Amino acid sequence: ANYSFDLDDETELKDSSLLGNHLLIGTGDSQPTSILSTAPISNDIAQVRSALAGVKTQFHDTIDSRPAVQEYGDMQYDSEGNLTGVMKRCYTYIKDGQWHLFTGYKVGNLITQWIGQAQFNPQVIGYIEGTPPVPSENMAYGTNGTGTGTYETDGSMVTFTQADEVMYNYSTSKENGFNSSFGMSGEMGVDLDLRMLLAPLGFGISQKMEFKLGVDTAASFEASGTWSQDQSMSTGRNVTKELSAVLGGNWEDPSNMHNPTIGRRWLSVNSGFALVQSETADIFALRLAHNNALVSLQFQPNPDIPKDWNIISFPLNPRYTTQGTLDGKIGYNSDGSVCTDESYPQAATYGEYSYFKPKEAYALKKRIDEEMQELQNYYENFDASPLSANNPMNKLMKSNASLLASAAGAGPGVGQAMAAGSTFGSIGDALSKDQSIVQKFAKRNLANTYVWTADGGFYAETTNTIDVMQDSVSGSYSFNNEFSSGLSLSFSALGADFSFGLDSSLGGSLNITKTKSKEATKSFSIDLSIRPSGDMQAFEPNSGDPIYENGKPKSVTGRVDAYRFMTFYLDSDKENFEDLFNKVVDPIWLEQSNHPNAVAMRQANQANKKPGCWRLMHRVTFVSRVLPEFASPTAPPLESALKAENIDSNYELIKKLEPFVKNKTANYIEFADAVQNTLKTYLPELQPHKEDIIKYAALYFGVEEAI
């Protein structure tokens, strides 16, 4: 029977089963009545008492403050292993001074929608501090030739490439051979017994004479043969990893231009890129079934996807470097004064701002050059001669010779044996030392130098590293066998002795040699391109049309006509990790942003472990701009003097000095003397500014002052 107790009929309790066992309902006092249940079954937890029913049960509880109730979406697996959405309720209250929290009370089902994936638990492997630096004062509206184009595709790009190639070589050689020989010999001998009679007078003396006659014969036959078989196989794998960064951005608001003298600029995105290995999570949207309203987004780790590569883009700290600002300046104002970037208001005076950090750049380059010099010195001092006195193998040979002599009675064998054992130890130490040095030099840093000029010149001094490791193992097996036999026969007949002999031998050989070798090659390279506009002509800020004066193109002062920068690759180190989170990343974005990339970067900040990571960074060491037509009263005296000499930029001054000082860069004192002599002979009006010119030229040519 199946009774629902709905009491739809006042006379009969209906049976909902197929048997129809209906029950009659009593009358009067025996008629059943409905009462409120005290069972803890309701839309709330058992501790909640219904305000409408008013029935108190043993599950109800008394609290000391107002409760808090919150519904939330959750995900769980059903009995069939399917991931489903569930609406749950959370209760929290205070009783007897303690906080009580009840979670997980199910109140209904939700519709589950898969909307995408996200990464979590990332670990930083390396990062690029954005694209190579470009001057935004040169990337103004109209300078790209169209007035409406962008600089995203041709503005700036850098690619870091790491290639790993492994070759496996196998070879087997087998040689079989046989040899055989046959020999025969024969001997025959005859003994003669004669007498000689001497009787000259009819009588005489008889003398006995003995003779032995022998004949020997011999013959031999030999045969041999060999055949060989060689097999070899090679297989390899080449894995190339590339991480690129391309310039992005958009045009400046024409109603809010930072420097109207320069014009409307292309504002580059100031972003970096971190290469990470992270887990993958699926993102689900949980919605109500009746109105499709979004309740929550749930992230569930995907067990089918292992840890894999991802890229996290992040904004660079504008106080660290700002893309589009080489040295904290953005050209000149209309009065000839310096226009500074909003992140570097103090850049009107000399200092290291944004990418312009020559001291750090040259110190880092010097360190990398010293590492390369150390590698060269190790190679030059490496003694590969087997007869060298310092070669451990030579020591071992001498020890073995002494040990053999002592075994023959020529010396104390125990001491020599101990010396040979110590020599074996020294060989192991030497090999371990060589291996540690190889591992040390396998960790490489790169420093590349680039120079760009507005007239179309571009110079690049790049370094690519290649490390090759070889491992070879070989084994050989040799087997030789030989069988020999002989037969001899001797007899006498008719007064003669006969003998006969037969010798034979048969042999074979088998030589097997197997060799395997492994060759691993690792290379690092940086591919870089920059294409800021070299057009010095002024353009209308709104239309992008060129501006002319007296039929000639009007130049824009303050634009960069030459600059030099270095790009560094620093191999994996924990200092790179510390700089990433303490200097490179925008701290406000890292701490306050709810963007998924910011959340991922906060997860990657393993401040306690500080795992090592590689780093690719840029530093500007020289900037030259077109000087103003009329020097401002606040302009530096050197710039005013250069303009009076019809020198339009610092780069032009460098070009005038270069033929006379380029061979004097090895010593700072000689370099300073060469600059002074050049100014005295060819540019006497600039002598009052020789100290500033020497300092500026030393930065360009990379001449360090002795300490």
Side-chain angles (χ1 to χ4, degrees):
N2 181 11
Y3 301 106
S4 62
F5 295 96
D6 291 334
L7 298 181
D8 296 332
D9 191 343
E10 295 181 357
T11 62
E12 203 173 34
L13 182 63
K14 301 294 184 180
D15 178 14
S16 300
S17 69
L18 300 177
L19 299 179
N21 294 320
H22 306 304
L23 300 178
L24 296 177
I25 297 177
T27 60
D29 296 338
S30 62
Q31 187 176 11
T33 60
S34 298
I35 63 173
L36 295 176
S37 173
T38 59
I41 301 175
S42 67
N43 292 330
D44 294 294
I45 60 175
Q47 288 83 354
V48 176
R49 179 181 177 183
S50 174
L52 298 177
V55 179
K56 184 177 181 180
T57 68
Q58 60 179 343
F59 301 100
H60 294 163
D61 206 350
T62 303
I63 60 178
D64 300 337
S65 65
R66 181 176 62 185
V69 183
Q70 178 66 45
E71 292 183 347
Y72 60 96
D74 196 8
M75 300 190 71
Q76 65 185 30
Y77 291 94
D78 59 16
S79 59
E80 297 180 355
N82 299 319
L83 195 61
T84 60
V86 180
M87 177 70 81
K88 294 184 178 180
R89 189 175 295 158
C90 171
Y91 302 85
T92 176
Y93 60 88
I94 297 176
K95 179 183 178 182
D96 300 332
Q98 293 183 349
W99 181 45
H100 296 261
L101 180 66
F102 289 89
T103 62
Y105 185 81
K106 180 179 178 180
V107 296
N109 294 324
L110 297 174
I111 298 176
T112 304
Q113 296 179 344
W114 185 84
I115 62 174
Q117 292 179 321
Q119 56 177 310
F120 71 98
N121 192 25
Q123 180 175 344
V124 178
I125 305 300
Y127 60 94
I128 294 179
E129 297 181 10
T131 57
V134 292
S136 62
E137 51 263 59
N138 287 43
M139 303 163 66
Y141 201 60
T143 53
N144 59 350
T146 64
T148 57
T150 66
Y151 288 90
E152 288 183 333
T153 56
D154 296 332
S156 177
M157 184 182 70
V158 62
T159 301
F160 170 66
T161 304
Q162 176 182 343
D164 296 322
E165 181 179 356
V166 180
M167 291 294 298
Y168 299 94
N169 304 309
Y170 308 90
S171 65
T172 302
S173 63
K174 181 172 64 174
E175 181 178 344
N176 297 322
F178 76 93
N179 60 78
S180 62
S181 64
F182 299 92
M184 294 183 297
S185 63
E187 181 179 354
M188 181 180 69
V190 178
D191 294 333
L192 297 178
D193 190 358
L194 301 177
R195 290 183 176 272
M196 183 176 66
L197 179 61
L198 298 176
L201 300 178
F203 64 93
I205 300 173
S206 177
Q207 182 68 35
K208 183 180 180 180
M209 300 177 65
E210 294 181 357
F211 296 90
K212 180 179 289 187
L213 177 64
V215 179
D216 294 332
T217 61
S220 63
F221 306 91
E222 295 183 356
S224 64
T226 60
W227 61 93
S228 61
Q229 181 181 5
D230 296 330
Q231 292 180 342
S232 63
M233 183 186 69
S234 298
T235 181
R237 183 185 65 174
N238 190 358
V239 179
T240 302
K241 302 174 185 177
E242 290 186 356
L243 181 60
S244 301
V246 180
L247 182 70
N250 45 53
W251 286 106
E252 190 177 23
D253 184 1
S255 62
N256 187 25
M257 292 186 293
H258 185 73
N259 188 351
T261 304
I262 292 295
R264 188 182 179 192
R265 297 176 297 133
W266 172 265
L267 301 180
S268 305
V269 175
N270 194 38
S271 297
F273 303 91
L275 180 65
V276 300
Q277 281 189 322
S278 59
E279 306 283 354
T280 302
D282 294 317
I283 306 176
F284 296 91
L286 304 182
R287 300 181 181 274
L288 297 175
H290 64 281
N291 61 0
N292 208 34
L294 179 63
V295 176
S296 66
L297 296 176
Q298 291 290 324
F299 294 78
Q300 291 291 330
N302 193 320
D304 299 327
I305 302 179
K307 180 177 288 189
D308 210 338
W309 298 101
N310 275 305
I311 296 177
I312 302 177
S313 60
F314 57 87
L316 296 172
N317 183 1
R319 301 292 296 173
Y320 173 67
T321 55
T322 299
Q323 182 58 278
T325 303
L326 299 181
D327 54 357
K329 306 176 183 64
I330 306 176
Y332 300 118
N333 296 314
S334 57
D335 60 355
S337 60
V338 176
C339 179
T340 60
D341 186 270
E342 57 184 7
S343 299
Y344 307 96
Q346 70 278 27
T349 59
Y350 179 82
E352 297 191 345
Y353 309 108
S354 192
Y355 291 99
F356 186 72
K357 298 178 176 66
K359 293 183 180 179
E360 178 189 5
Y362 284 111
L364 190 56
K365 187 176 186 302
K366 182 179 180 181
R367 192 190 80 184
I368 295 175
D369 291 341
E370 290 175 351
E371 294 174 356
M372 296 300 176
Q373 186 64 39
E374 185 179 356
L375 175 60
Q376 181 178 353
N377 292 339
Y378 173 74
Y379 173 79
E380 293 177 352
N381 295 325
F382 184 82
D383 194 349
S385 173
L387 301 178
S388 171
N390 297 324
N391 194 317
M393 294 301 297
N394 191 29
K395 294 181 179 180
L396 179 62
M397 294 170 61
K398 293 181 178 180
S399 298
N400 289 341
S402 300
L403 186 62
L404 292 174
S406 64
V414 177
Q416 297 296 337
M418 295 178 61
S422 64
T423 304
F424 273 112
S426 65
I427 293 176
D429 295 341
L431 295 177
S432 300
K433 181 180 179 181
D434 291 341
Q435 184 177 6
S436 64
I437 293 177
V438 170
Q439 293 176 352
K440 174 183 178 181
F441 288 124
K443 183 177 180 180
R444 298 295 182 82
N445 300 320
L446 301 179
N448 295 345
T449 301
Y450 306 91
V451 181
W452 177 89
T453 62
D455 53 6
F458 183 73
Y459 170 79
E461 179 185 328
T462 62
T463 302
N464 300 334
T465 65
I466 300 177
D467 300 319
V468 180
M469 299 288 292
Q470 291 182 336
D471 185 14
S472 179
V473 178
S474 63
S476 62
Y477 170 76
S478 178
F479 174 76
N480 296 283
N481 60 65
E482 185 173 352
F483 302 94
S484 61
S485 62
L487 176 65
S488 62
L489 175 65
S490 62
F491 62 92
S492 300
L494 302 176
D497 296 330
F498 299 90
S499 65
F500 175 78
L502 176 64
D503 296 327
S504 65
S505 65
L506 181 65
S509 63
L510 173 64
N511 296 321
I512 299 177
T513 302
K514 291 186 176 182
T515 303
K516 70 174 183 178
S517 63
K518 173 184 175 183
E519 180 176 306
T521 302
K522 177 179 289 187
S523 62
F524 298 90
S525 63
I526 298 174
D527 186 16
L528 181 147
S529 65
I530 53 171
R531 293 182 180 90
S533 176
D535 192 351
M536 298 291 126
Q537 185 175 6
F539 292 84
E540 291 289 348
N542 296 324
S543 64
D545 296 332
I547 301 176
Y548 296 89
E549 285 184 349
N550 300 325
K552 297 182 180 180
K554 180 181 178 181
S555 299
V556 179
T557 60
R559 284 186 179 163
V560 175
D561 62 346
Y563 71 100
R564 182 184 58 228
F565 67 95
M566 296 183 184
T567 296
F568 296 94
Y569 167 76
L570 305 180
D571 213 339
S572 182
D573 195 280
K574 69 176 184 179
E575 293 182 1
N576 299 333
F577 182 87
E578 295 175 349
D579 288 343
L580 174 63
F581 291 96
N582 297 331
K583 294 181 181 180
V584 180
V585 181
D586 187 347
I588 299 177
W589 175 85
L590 183 62
E591 296 296 332
Q592 301 179 7
S593 176
N594 292 325
H595 193 279
N597 286 355
V599 176
M601 286 297 290
R602 287 195 288 268
Q603 294 177 355
N605 188 8
Q606 305 174 21
N608 296 330
K609 297 182 180 179
K610 298 179 181 179
C613 61
W614 56 262
R615 174 185 186 183
L616 196 146
M617 55 187 285
H618 315 283
R619 291 292 182 265
V620 173
T621 58
F622 172 78
V623 181
S624 173
R625 289 184 174 85
V626 178
L627 299 177
E629 292 293 336
F630 301 97
S632 170
T634 60
L638 176 58
E639 295 184 359
S640 301
L642 291 177
K643 199 63 181 178
E645 290 296 314
N646 294 322
I647 299 177
D648 293 333
S649 67
N650 297 330
Y651 184 63
E652 287 192 16
L653 174 61
I654 291 296
K655 287 302 180 182
K656 291 181 179 293
L657 297 175
E658 185 174 13
F660 307 98
V661 301
K662 63 181 181 180
N663 297 326
K664 306 292 184 180
T665 58
N667 184 278
Y668 186 85
I669 297 177
E670 293 181 0
F671 179 80
D673 292 339
V675 174
Q676 293 185 61
N677 294 333
T678 304
L679 294 177
K680 183 178 180 181
T681 305
Y682 300 100
L683 299 169
E685 293 80 1
L686 299 181
Q687 278 193 285
H689 312 285
K690 61 182 180 181
E691 294 183 2
D692 294 336
I693 294 176
I694 292 174
K695 182 185 298 184
Y696 191 80
L699 283 176
Y700 178 83
F701 291 101
V703 182
E704 297 184 5
E705 186 175 1
I707 300 176

